[in-house]
Amino acid sequence: MLLQLDAAFDLQRDVGPWLAAQDTFEETSSTLYVLNVERNGKIIYTWKGHLRNTYIGLYDPQTRQNEHLYTFERDLHIISCSVNNERTLLAVSFLQMTKEDKINQLLQSVSKCLTLLIEIHPVNYVKVLKAVDSCIRVQFLYPVESGNPFPESHLLLISEDRYIEQFHIHVVTEENKVVIQNTGQLPRERVADDLIWAQWDMTEQRLFYIVRKESRNTLKCVQFYRDENFKLILESPLDISLSDMGLKLVNFGYDYYQDTEMAPETVNLQVFTSKTGSLCVCYSRAPDIPEEVTYSISFLHKGYSKTFTVALERTDSLQVKEVAFLNLEYYVAAYLPGHFLHLLNIQHPDLMCYSLFLTGEDASIELLHDTSIQSICKLTLLDCCSGRLFTVKINEDSLMRFMWNSKLDRDRLAALHCALVHLGSAADLEDQIIQWILENLSPCHTFDPIQEFIIASLYWRMCPESSQLDKLLPYTSLLYWNGVVPGIACTTDIISLPILKVQNCKGFWEKLNLYLENVKYAEPQLHYNNNVLRREWYKLLSEEKEGRGAPAYLKNIFENARKVLSNLDTWSMEERLVPFFQEEDCQQQLLMGLMVAQLKDHLMRHLQHVGKKKMDQIVVDYVSNLLDLMCRMMEAVWRKYNLHPCIFSFDKRGSAAEFAVFHIMSRILEAANGLCMPLPPGFHSLHLGLGVRCLPLHTLLHYIDNGVLHLTETCVRKLFKDLDNTEKNEKLKFSIVTRLPEAIGQKICQLWNHPVTSNFIARNYVKLLLEKLGTRQRGRPIPDRMSIHVEFLPLNYLASMLAEIEDQGLNPFKEQDHVNAKFVEEMALKHTAMLLGL
């Protein structure tokens, strides 16, 4: 079971014992039920007494204490109740007539519903707000920010006659009593008219409602503020058909009797928001065909909607066919008990492979009553029938089991992204994910788990730094996905973008506005990619090799790399198991510094308000985190195969564990090359060392020739020092020397006293000396300095010319006294003798 529920409140557990100690409690479970949950988490409930009196109580989850608020000395059907933040006023709406009273309805004129405002600190005055024949719901407003109490209380009245109004109630303290100042006509104003659907967001104090305008439904949102009154802040046309069957209300309390007697809703609609600025409309209708269920999610922040049609595996079930929607912050869940659980990634809903579709045991949610689930706020569910309030979260252990057992790439990929979202709440989850990656490098065919892990991890590490980075940083290595989910059909439709009615918004509305701006300006082009980085890196490598690079620019690039490595050093004080960062790798440092520069240019184009110092830190942190993830993967590999944190020697063959590590490092290298990501300095030396120990010579040379293994000075130096000159080792050394870059080859040949290297040194000496001479003309006769008189004029001429150049101070090997014209002469004679077999 992927979703884990914890009972934060249970009527029988948290209220039952307290009521049992009261003389007023009647032992009938059906008379005890929840009425409302306020923004501060306090829960209002009601019960019947022995004399059928109706009581209202309040449970405080912080103190775990119950409080009796008010008693009606008659049997009432309470349909709505709310208490203000200061617990001085209580608003109650109830039906005046019980079943017995309905007989008298024809005999006297009695309003069906009565709405009262009651002073409860202490119980004192009762004011009638409404006495009408339509049902009324009540809801006090709460301050979003903590601070001083409201100077006055504000109460919303939601009428079945399709309007909402707000009452302003000013209270004063008189003789230790809190009383309403003006008990006459309370100030009030209309908030909305002609609505056909409404939902209350208690956490953010927002009212979403839908009106029908010119035969089209329009979603509107009113934001209530602490110091101001309220503002209409959003309008969005909806291509959703809502039947005209009365006003549908969501999260305005719970009417136990009415909801249990009513048939399942023909239309189920909810609006979900997240702290990242996402805004979703979830919608489902009663199925026309028993064998399938259809529901849609409109991602208003993205400008499109997705409609899903699910073929049910069995239709003989008596379970409810109404889809329940759950707000899980970064995911929206569509849940049909007994059939499926669909987790939709609301930040990146474009590819279906980022969403999990579960059936069977994985899709079940324990402890929930099938027909009465309400998602009252983020990660919180109310089971109205049982009177229990649950916090809901994704169970990391179940998620990891699902990843290990999944056979399909789409499930693996979706579970990987879901796990990475929850890294912050589970310290050891990253290690578990890395272990899964190490075991599943080959089974994944449609995506590279290493690439996806690194890119997605970087995204979730960096995005909390700025509300705008999530629009600019890459979140996946995939460009498209062709896979389908069996049994579920999906269609995507472009929808109209919401219109924000207020400028310069803050908080959620500012983030939503950023989403909408990004959609307008071609969102996919905003995400950083490494295509330009790869071309520029190759260009700089070529220029550096030819000595054409601009010194000032290269200096700046290498300074960026130095900042990255210095930043990384401050993060880890423990000694690393893997021998990285013990040498300089100019190519990788060039790539690091170049990535810092290009990422900074990309972000500065879209985040011009961010200061230079902060921007520098963001890009340095990004590349540092990238290298840190590489190191964490390698540390996990080292621990898995129990390798020692030492430099390898080359006098013996590698073990099976070393060969496995070599294979994993090859996959990491392949993943890094695919996305043009830098590697920790020392990676190539370690990789080459493992290759020498584990691979046969022909395979080793094949890997070198195809760029899988890179010849580094550190590793080759150690190789030539460790190995003696047996025939097998000479063959290896000769193969390595002939493949070395010229700059490294000159240094390595000094370590191997062998005719091959001596010949190489002599040839290189002549080449460099002649290059230094250039077109300079000789101005005096050639001196006779040959140590051995040889009757071979070409050699005599060459040796004499080299000696003259040396006299001009152009010797490129001044630090090596034995490399001179005489050395070249002797090597030439030896080489000629070898060729002639003398």
Side-chain angles (χ1 to χ4, degrees), residues 236-434:
S236 180
L238 293 180
D239 293 324
I240 292 176
S241 174
L242 296 177
S243 57
D244 193 6
M245 297 182 63
L247 178 63
K248 167 69 175 176
L249 299 176
V250 179
N251 292 342
F252 283 99
Y254 179 64
D255 182 357
Y256 177 83
Y257 294 112
Q258 182 182 16
D259 290 354
T260 52
E261 292 174 2
M262 287 180 62
E265 297 288 343
T266 56
V267 173
N268 178 22
L269 189 147
Q270 283 186 270
V271 175
F272 291 150
T273 63
S274 77
K275 61 184 179 183
T276 62
S278 302
L279 176 61
C280 302
V281 176
C282 306
Y283 168 76
S284 70
R285 294 183 60 88
D288 297 326
I289 304 174
E291 293 82 12
E292 64 181 30
V293 169
T294 299
Y295 54 96
S296 66
I297 313 292
S298 296
F299 304 98
L300 300 185
H301 58 292
K302 293 286 188 177
Y304 57 83
S305 68
K306 287 184 177 290
T307 301
F308 303 93
T309 301
V310 180
L312 301 181
E313 295 181 358
R314 60 186 188 279
T315 58
D316 55 345
S317 173
L318 298 178
Q319 291 176 311
V320 67
K321 296 297 189 298
E322 181 178 324
V323 176
F325 298 110
L326 315 177
N327 187 352
L328 305 179
E329 188 63 63
Y330 294 106
Y331 286 83
V332 165
Y335 176 52
L336 185 62
H339 292 279
F340 64 83
L341 174 66
H342 193 180
L343 297 181
L344 293 112
N345 188 317
I346 60 175
Q347 278 193 268
H348 309 296
D350 44 344
L351 300 182
M352 280 191 66
C353 56
Y354 297 135
S355 300
L356 273 170
F357 186 81
L358 307 174
T359 58
E361 184 67 20
D362 294 320
S364 64
I365 304 177
E366 286 187 343
L367 307 176
L368 283 184
H369 192 281
D370 291 342
T371 61
S372 59
I373 305 169
Q374 282 191 11
S375 184
I376 61 173
C377 62
K378 299 179 185 70
L379 304 174
T380 305
L381 303 178
L382 176 64
D383 186 342
C384 307
C385 286
S386 65
R388 289 185 290 182
L389 192 69
F390 297 99
T391 58
V392 58
K393 67 176 183 178
I394 294 177
N395 186 294
E396 289 89 0
D397 293 337
S398 298
L399 182 61
M400 291 308 301
R401 278 196 301 272
F402 181 80
M403 282 179 64
W404 280 101
N405 297 330
S406 295
K407 305 300 181 184
L408 301 174
D409 277 5
R410 67 165 185 272
D411 292 335
R412 296 183 181 120
L413 183 59
L416 174 60
H417 275 270
C418 187
L420 292 174
V421 169
H422 297 87
L423 273 182
S425 60
D428 63 336
L429 189 56
E430 186 175 73
D431 290 335
Q432 296 182 50
I433 294 173
I434 292 175

Side-chain angles (χ1 to χ4, degrees), residues 556-574:
N556 183 56
I557 294 299
F558 282 112
E559 178 60 22
N560 290 340
R562 187 198 63 78
K563 291 178 181 178
V564 169
L565 296 176
S566 176
N567 194 42
L568 201 56
D569 284 341
T570 62
W571 292 358
S572 178
M573 297 302 177
E574 299 179 0

Side-chain angles (χ1 to χ4, degrees), residues 107 348 416 607 688 768:
L107 304 178
H348 309 296
L416 174 60
L607 303 178
L688 177 61
L768 293 175

Side-chain angles (χ1 to χ4, degrees), residues 112 125 145 196 208 214 249 254 291 295 308 335 354 374 419-420 456 478 489 517 575 601 642 664 781 796 811 833:
K112 175 184 175 182
Y125 176 74
E145 306 89 2
I196 58 176
F208 292 97
E214 297 178 358
L249 299 176
Y254 179 64
E291 293 82 12
Y295 54 96
F308 303 93
Y335 176 52
Y354 297 135
Q374 282 191 11
L420 292 174
L478 299 178
E517 292 296 318
E575 185 177 356
D601 290 343
N642 196 28
I664 293 173
N796 291 346
N811 187 352

Side-chain angles (χ1 to χ4, degrees), residues 24-64:
T24 59
F25 183 55
E26 182 182 75
E27 294 290 341
T28 306
S29 59
S30 61
T31 68
L32 175 64
Y33 60 93
V34 173
L35 289 172
N36 200 1
V37 181
E38 300 289 8
R39 185 185 182 278
N40 54 16
K42 295 179 180 179
I43 300 160
I44 304 175
Y45 54 90
T46 183
W47 75 95
K48 304 294 184 183
H50 294 297
L51 302 177
R52 301 301 295 172
N53 293 341
T54 304
Y55 298 86
I56 298 174
L58 183 72
Y59 177 78
D60 188 341
Q62 300 296 325
T63 62
R64 297 187 178 181

Side-chain angles (χ1 to χ4, degrees), residues 204 206 234 273-279 300-302 329-330 347 378 463-471 500 504-519 523:
E204 302 299 336
R206 301 184 191 119
L234 175 137
T273 63
S274 77
K275 61 184 179 183
T276 62
S278 302
L279 176 61
L300 300 185
H301 58 292
K302 293 286 188 177
E329 188 63 63
Y330 294 106
Q347 278 193 268
K378 299 179 185 70
C463 285
E465 296 292 328
S466 169
S467 62
Q468 294 165 301
L469 284 180
D470 61 334
K471 320 297 187 303
L500 291 180
N504 301 321
C505 304
K506 299 298 181 183
F508 167 81
W509 301 111
E510 179 183 17
K511 296 175 183 177
L512 175 61
N513 186 54
L514 288 174
Y515 265 120
L516 301 179
E517 292 296 318
N518 291 339
V519 174
E523 183 187 55

